């Protein structure tokens, strides 16, 4: 496993621990439909559905990949090490962007 993969895995595990798993969709404090490990259905224009844990984990991977593309737009991306890049990726996931 590369250093990047190790850092990404640890940060995803941390995010999932912080978010907690919810099988049934619920409205977050902003009124957005959310489920799984903090997956924001509303931000993606999707109807909320029940999420088995395996699907919630898959959606976390999708959200991570999407967030990494957003984070790479940061001007200093090329100067950041793996840990700082991972933290930048967490931002769009936590904010539901």
């Amino acid at each position: 496993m590369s250093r990047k993969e190790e850092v990404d895995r640890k940060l995803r595990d941390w995010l999932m621990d912080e978010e907690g798993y919810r099988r049934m969709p619920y409205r977050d404090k902003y009124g957005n439909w959310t489920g799984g490990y903090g997956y924001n259905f509303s931000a993606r224009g999707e109807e909320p559905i029940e999420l088995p844990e395996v699907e919630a984990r898959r959606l976390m991977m999708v959200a991570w990949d999407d967030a990494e593309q957003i984070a790479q737009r940061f001007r200093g991306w090329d100067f950041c090490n793996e840990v700082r890049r991972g933290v930048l990726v967490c931002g769009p996931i936590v904010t539901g962007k």
Side-chain angles (χ1 to χ4, degrees), residues 17-71:
D17 187 52
E18 285 295 310
E19 288 288 340
Y21 168 69
R22 289 209 179 159
R23 184 180 187 94
M24 299 305 295
Y26 64 96
R27 288 202 183 262
D28 67 14
K29 66 182 181 180
Y30 303 107
N32 296 309
W33 281 108
T34 306
Y37 290 104
Y39 184 80
N40 188 331
F41 293 102
S42 298
R44 291 174 169 76
E46 299 174 6
E47 289 295 316
I49 59 169
E50 181 178 340
L51 287 175
E53 190 166 5
V54 67
E55 180 64 6
R57 286 181 176 277
R58 187 191 71 75
L59 289 174
M60 174 57 84
M61 296 297 290
V62 169
W64 187 269
D65 291 342
D66 292 348
E68 189 167 38
Q69 289 180 11
I70 292 168

